[in-house]
Amino acid sequence: MSWLEVFLTVMSSLIGMEVFAWVAHKYIMHGWGWGWHRDHHEPHDNVLEKNDLFAVVFGTINAAMYIYGALYWDWLWWFGVGITLYGVIYTLVHDGLVHQRYWRWVPRKGYAKRLVQAHKLHHATIGKEGGVSFGFVIARDPAKLKAELKSQKEAGLAVVRDSVGA
Ligand SMILES: [Zn+2]
Ligand SMILES: [Zn+2]
């Protein structure tokens, strides 16, 4: 593969992963996979969450891509690299910036702040119904997310925490 093909494969994998993460989070984690995702949305003291099992499953699939990619298809190996990169970005943003599992620094301005606000608003609903901001790297304007939470609440589609002010 040429470096251009490698670059395009990794980039499409990265972009594809944000789309995949959004769909999986909305329809699997907040659907039939709620049993594993639930403890991530509820207060707890344990360091590990059942929700971390999703990372183990996706990590295993990613490892299999490297094995099959090395044996049969170059592009699959590089596609796997994109998934790994996304995983690193995801865990730095989600576990690091938002949930403070690695450090205690909170961004006060710019896009990093917006990412944190958007995911905090994802945690503003109680239970698996409704909710906003299922992606992790592309974040909408928090004011728009709050307005959407408000309309979900009024329509009876979601239970929203009072602290959000929606
Ligand atoms: Zn969630
Ligand atoms: Zn979270």
Side-chain angles (χ1 to χ4, degrees):
M1 282 170 76
S2 71
W3 284 109
L4 180 66
E5 286 169 323
V6 165
F7 176 76
L8 292 176
T9 306
V10 173
M11 284 309 291
S12 60
S13 169
L14 267 175
I15 296 163
M17 275 304 288
E18 175 69 358
V19 176
F20 171 79
W22 190 94
V23 172
H25 189 184
K26 188 171 170 73
Y27 296 103
I28 298 176
M29 283 74 165
H30 284 248
W32 52 266
W34 179 247
W36 279 8
H37 191 53
R38 182 180 187 154
D39 69 346
H40 180 63
H41 277 268
E42 289 173 356
H44 59 79
D45 298 320
N46 27 342
V47 177
L48 289 177
E49 301 170 354
K50 236 188 207 171
N51 186 54
D52 294 323
L53 288 169
F54 283 116
V56 176
V57 170
F58 294 134
T60 306
I61 295 169
N62 194 200
M65 284 179 174
Y66 284 112
I67 296 167
Y68 280 94
L71 289 173
Y72 306 110
W73 304 291
D74 278 356
W75 67 266
L76 185 66
W77 198 90
W78 286 108
F79 200 76
V81 170
I83 293 174
T84 305
L85 270 177
Y86 185 85
V88 171
I89 295 167
Y90 159 81
T91 198
L92 290 176
V93 170
H94 179 257
D95 299 304
L97 284 182
V98 183
H99 293 297
Q100 309 197 337
R101 291 175 99 180
Y102 306 137
W103 64 75
R104 298 241 165 256
W105 176 74
V106 184
R108 308 226 173 268
K109 57 179 168 47
Y111 194 74
K113 180 185 175 187
R114 181 175 168 142
L115 277 176
V116 172
Q117 285 177 305
H119 190 70
K120 286 250 159 87
L121 288 168
H122 172 68
H123 282 274
T125 44
I126 298 171
K128 73 184 188 23
E129 308 303 335
V132 292
S133 200
F134 289 89
F136 299 96
V137 177
I138 298 168
R140 285 172 60 207
D141 178 2
K144 293 209 175 93
L145 295 172
K146 275 189 193 175
E148 193 179 324
L149 281 172
K150 192 175 177 194
S151 64
Q152 285 185 12
K153 186 180 178 180
E154 284 164 3
L157 296 171
V159 182
V160 181
R161 291 177 212 280
D162 292 332
S163 56
V164 180

